[in-house]
Amino acid sequence: QGTGYTGEFVLFSQKEGKYKVVADDADGLDISLRPNDASVVFVAPVMQMESHRNDLAAEEGAKVTFAPIGATDMYNGGGAVQKVERMEDERLDANSVAGVAMEVTAVGNFAVYVGEAAPRVVRVRKSGEDLDHYETFDFAFKKLNDAKGGIVEISLPETGSENEKVTPLRLELVW
């Protein structure tokens, strides 16, 4: 049981605020720029993760797909994602299909592409804090018109004082 690349990417145009899912052999994203204009495009590989539950392993819907896009307000928002891993089984309840954990260094708007199903729970804690010290966050799920998935948008909290750098957060999505 693990995580693997699906052969697709999610593109996010920061200037236009638009997302697009493309296969790795597709033409990509059309961008028109005026002279002296610029645009930043985030590229995130779509990953697929199998369920941690043996009773669901062969069933349809036992796999979840996701792509950590990053902090959409930052110039290098994809760089806010420091680490992505499958959640440990003991962190999931009996109703969970799967979970992904990310270490992120960002504040403000953060986006994750998810396949057909939105996660049930999004929770955040400061890295290094007690494992049970999570806050559950509200999130928006926006269905994409040209793909089978959607975008989970989360507003990450300020984590340091004005003079400190941003404290890494552990962001968990549970399906």
Side-chain angles (χ1 to χ4, degrees):
Q1 294 182 351
T3 305
Y5 171 61
T6 66
E8 295 179 313
F9 290 91
V10 176
L11 306 177
F12 170 66
S13 170
Q14 192 175 41
K15 182 177 183 176
E16 297 175 1
K18 292 184 180 178
Y19 298 90
K20 184 174 183 179
V21 178
V22 297
D24 60 3
D25 59 354
D27 292 335
L29 182 67
D30 292 327
I31 298 175
S32 298
L33 298 174
R34 295 185 186 131
N36 299 322
D37 203 359
S39 181
V40 175
V41 177
F42 298 16
V43 179
V46 177
M47 308 298 285
Q48 185 173 65
M49 183 174 19
E50 296 177 9
S51 174
H52 74 288
R53 292 176 47 190
N54 291 330
D55 61 328
L56 291 178
E59 292 182 30
E60 197 62 32
K63 296 180 181 177
V64 296
T65 54
F66 67 95
I69 296 164
T72 58
D73 297 333
M74 290 175 53
Y75 181 70
N76 179 19
V81 181
Q82 303 296 309
K83 183 178 183 181
V84 178
E85 62 188 3
R86 184 177 181 273
M87 282 178 57
E88 306 87 12
D89 291 351
E90 59 271 7
R91 298 286 307 143
L92 302 171
D93 62 32
N95 296 323
S96 299
V97 174
V100 62
M102 293 171 266
E103 185 173 308
V104 301
T105 306
V107 296
N109 296 323
F110 191 88
V112 178
Y113 167 81
V114 296
E116 296 180 29
R120 291 184 308 113
V121 178
V122 173
R123 56 191 181 207
V124 177
R125 74 171 164 84
K126 288 183 182 178
S127 290
E129 281 189 350
D130 179 40
L131 287 177
D132 295 324
H133 186 75
Y134 276 88
E135 291 181 49
T136 301
F137 274 67
D138 291 331
F139 61 91
F141 178 72
K142 296 181 178 180
K143 188 82 171 142
L144 294 179
N145 293 333
D146 63 345
K148 56 188 168 198
I151 303 297
V152 171
E153 293 181 336
I154 309 139
S155 182
L156 295 176
E158 295 281 338
T159 57
S161 71
E162 198 172 297
N163 297 328
E164 296 176 329
K165 66 178 190 175
V166 177
T167 304
L169 298 171
R170 182 174 169 94
L171 172 64
E172 293 183 351
L173 280 69
V174 179
W175 283 264

